[in-house]
Amino acid sequence: MTSTPAITQRVQQLRNTLIKASYAYYVLDDPIMEDGVYDKLYRELQDLESQYPDLITPDSPTQRVGDKPATAFVSIPHNIPLYSLENAFGFSEFLQWQQRWLKYLNGQGIPIPSNYDYVCELKIDGSALALTYENGVLVRGVTRGDGITGEDITPNVKTIRSIPLKLHIDNPPPVLEIRGEAFLPISEFERINGERESQGLSLFANPRNAAAGTLRQLDPKIVAHRRLQFFAYTLHLPLASQWSALEYLQQIGFLVNPNRQLCQSLEEVEAYFSRWDTERRNLPYLTDGVVVKLNSFGLQEQLGFTQKFPRWAIAYKYPAEEAPTIVKEIIVNVGRTGAITPMAIMEPVQLAGTTVQRATLHNSDRVSQLDIRHGDTVIIRKAGEIIPEVVRVLTDLRPPDTEPYLMPTRCPECGSTLLRPKGEAVTRCVNSSCSAILRGSLIHWASRDALDIRGLGEKMAILLIEKGLVRSIADLYSLTSQELAQLDRMGKKSADKLVGAIADSKAQPWSRVLYGLGIRYVGGTNAKILTESFPDVERLASANVSNLASVYGIGDEIAESVYNWFQIEANRDLMQKLKEIGLQLSSRDKVTAGKFTGKSFVLTGTLPTLKRGEAQELIEKAGGKVSGSVSSKTDYVVVGESAGSKLEKAQQLGVTLLTETQLLELLDG
């Protein structure tokens, strides 16, 4: 095969870049490139030389010698949610986390302890499991799922040899829940992939994916053959500290990661993190960071949780995996808020176990900073291991005669002039009639956590807009079956179903309507908080920024966003239309006086018959509120087995204690 000038140039560029990187690594001991990036570029050169042998030269680096269905599982709710951890990328972010929890204690009027320590544990790259033991015997193993519910995979869990079927302890607690990480050792991963290759099967991308897929196998024999391991890292017992919990877990028969450390200062945490950044490559399993927890369970109890994360723990992450690829095109997307996001369309590349073809360029500032161009070889990584992003451009490999990329000045969807609001990095389309904004708004409005309109997805939203049937959210509610039945691939039966689903959405509560509006920064949880404090749209629309920000859980950013949204006349008109249509813009009719109206409850421990969610629902239906922490304002603490520090604090404050039976008697009385 004869090479072209472009291929010849690419081979020479790759060769020069790899030689430079090799010299920096081996001679200067000052690497300029990640190992993974070097390997990818090396393989590209190798492939090109294989296709075009006439391009091989003696000085080429390549010539150096030695160089099944999940529906079969039952979904069950977790007794205690499995929260994800906030991530810190770098010591400065870790330091900010410490400052946040100290500030929180100060704001709550809780004395800051004179000394506190941290427990550092390697963050295992596997799948979280929740194990339940009754009277010392394993009765249930559940996947993390979404943190609220998971899948019952008990038969598969029982095949993992490092999980005891019976606890090694006399007189075990009646109920004990253990949390930990199931993972696949690297040697097992390689063995399994070797077997799959010999059988002509597709290979697993990485040990994490292989572990997750193994746990969800329907046949436990397959799971047993793959020899998963399990590290336990916490349990729910009234112990003093995380360190004592890890020691207790060892005593009762669990494998606990031996590479943990009790640290007395941030400097010790940083030293631990730095040491394992190097030594983790010698471990028999994968780790992508360090989990740092405040050691004291009492301090953990006082700090509690945000809407997403525990305040007392953080994942201090190692740099994300990186890979090189080539930019084929640069485009922009228009989001439902009008935000214009530049995107790089690239040659497909494997990154952290997935095939990546698109990467965000964030905004025009980032585009200018990178000076990214069509045809550039770029390094990409997954930000937070989720969203692919371009890290840097390898300008040595840049094709000749390329031009800098210029952001558009007009919206690619509607042609309107784009604006960049003062103080923001994001360029926006501010045309409320823009089809892209409307499309995103419709999809969000119909999403499961908002109005939950089944049958109204992206394709349907595009059709409705293209045919001129919908120009705002309110137009959805005037659609008829006859109109919909005329659309492509939409028969009368489907049209009737969609019209019915739209009509049913009128019954969704005020909190879902607020979330569905897509106001910036207002997620599902924030919408519930706001509608509890502002039980109808009139009160919310007339609230000023300070009123909004005074609500617990609503910060200045959210408050300003909500206030500004209601200042726009088109938005106020939309709310009026939705009110006339019959949407629920008030929760007043649903607020009824009950036996527990004005009373505050806290639940602690495992109740005999009720799950925590069931007990909370009963209390709230009776007008009461359930809080996560005990204070002088708490009226009742409902106590179950293995109650922890909440019970102690309630006793100190003289709060009335209730058993489950007494709670039910109050409800029935």
Side-chain angles (χ1 to χ4, degrees), residues 603 611-621 624 626 663:
L603 304 171
K611 292 180 180 177
R612 186 165 296 204
E614 294 171 338
Q616 180 170 341
E617 186 177 356
L618 288 172
I619 292 168
E620 290 176 345
K621 281 184 177 179
V626 178
L663 172 66

Side-chain angles (χ1 to χ4, degrees), residues 301-334:
E301 183 81 21
Q302 289 175 316
L303 286 168
F305 299 81
T306 67
Q307 295 169 13
K308 294 182 179 180
F309 313 115
R311 291 189 179 89
W312 41 266
I314 196 165
Y316 192 178
K317 302 295 286 293
Y318 291 116
E321 181 184 335
E322 298 182 350
T325 185
I326 298 173
V327 177
K328 296 166 60 179
E329 184 183 5
I330 299 174
I331 64 171
V332 294
N333 286 337
V334 186

Side-chain angles (χ1 to χ4, degrees), residues 162-175:
S162 48
I163 293 178
L165 299 180
K166 186 176 182 180
L167 300 179
H168 304 178
I169 184 177
D170 296 328
N171 302 316
V175 178

Side-chain angles (χ1 to χ4, degrees), residues 10 13-14 17 37 41 44 323-328 346 372-380 390 392-399:
R10 179 67 178 177
Q13 289 175 327
L14 286 167
T17 299
V37 172
L41 296 176
E44 182 184 351
T325 185
I326 298 173
V327 177
K328 296 166 60 179
M346 308 164 301
I372 188 169
R373 307 181 185 187
H374 177 272
D376 272 345
T377 299
V378 296
I379 305 302
I380 61 170
V390 175
R392 60 187 179 276
V393 176
L394 300 181
T395 53
D396 288 348
L397 300 179
R398 171 171 287 165

Side-chain angles (χ1 to χ4, degrees), residues 80 169 171-178 234-246 248 295-301 604-606 612 639-649 651:
I80 303 170
I169 184 177
N171 302 316
V175 178
L176 180 61
E177 184 163 310
I178 310 291
T234 194
L235 76 170
H236 296 285
L237 272 183
L239 299 174
S241 66
Q242 172 67 12
W243 192 258
S244 60
L246 294 173
Y248 182 80
N295 187 32
S296 167
F297 277 172
L299 199 51
Q300 289 185 15
E301 183 81 21
T604 182
T606 304
R612 186 165 296 204
V639 181
E641 290 287 340
S642 304
S645 58
K646 291 178 184 177
L647 172 58
E648 296 175 8
K649 188 167 183 180
Q651 291 170 331

Side-chain angles (χ1 to χ4, degrees), residues 407-517:
M407 288 284 289
T409 57
R410 291 189 173 275
C411 176
E413 294 273 352
C414 68
S416 299
T417 301
L418 299 176
L419 298 177
R420 180 170 171 175
K422 186 177 180 180
E424 290 193 20
V426 178
T427 303
R428 296 185 184 277
C429 173
V430 294
N431 174 18
S432 59
S433 299
C434 176
S435 58
I437 297 174
L438 178 56
R439 180 173 66 245
S441 298
L442 289 180
I443 294 168
H444 179 70
W445 178 264
S447 63
R448 185 177 60 182
D449 294 333
L451 279 293
D452 194 19
I453 303 175
R454 305 296 173 89
L456 180 51
E458 183 175 4
K459 290 182 179 178
M460 179 54 62
I462 292 171
L463 268 176
L464 293 173
I465 295 168
E466 286 180 346
K467 299 298 182 182
L469 295 176
V470 172
R471 292 182 175 82
S472 79
I473 289 170
D475 291 342
L476 286 173
Y477 296 88
S478 60
L479 291 172
T480 65
S481 295
Q482 290 78 13
E483 289 174 322
L484 293 175
Q486 302 303 313
L487 299 176
D488 294 341
R489 300 181 183 179
M490 175 66 80
K492 186 177 185 307
K493 189 174 181 180
S494 298
D496 289 341
K497 279 187 177 180
L498 181 52
V499 169
I502 293 171
D504 290 343
S505 72
K506 294 180 184 180
Q508 293 289 6
W510 166 217
S511 60
R512 283 189 173 227
V513 174
L514 179 59
Y515 171 63
L517 294 172

Side-chain angles (χ1 to χ4, degrees), residues 510 514 517 519 530 536-543 548 559-573 575:
W510 166 217
L514 179 59
L517 294 172
I519 301 173
L530 284 167
D536 56 56
V537 68
E538 289 79 13
R539 295 191 210 187
L540 184 62
S542 61
L548 292 162
E560 288 180 8
S561 178
V562 173
Y563 174 79
N564 290 335
W565 193 90
F566 278 103
Q567 301 314 299
I568 298 172
E569 185 177 356
N571 293 336
R572 294 196 300 272
D573 290 343
M575 298 312 296

Side-chain angles (χ1 to χ4, degrees), residues 644-659:
S645 58
K646 291 178 184 177
L647 172 58
E648 296 175 8
K649 188 167 183 180
Q651 291 170 331
Q652 293 170 2
L653 296 173
V655 177
T656 303
L657 305 179
L658 298 175
T659 63

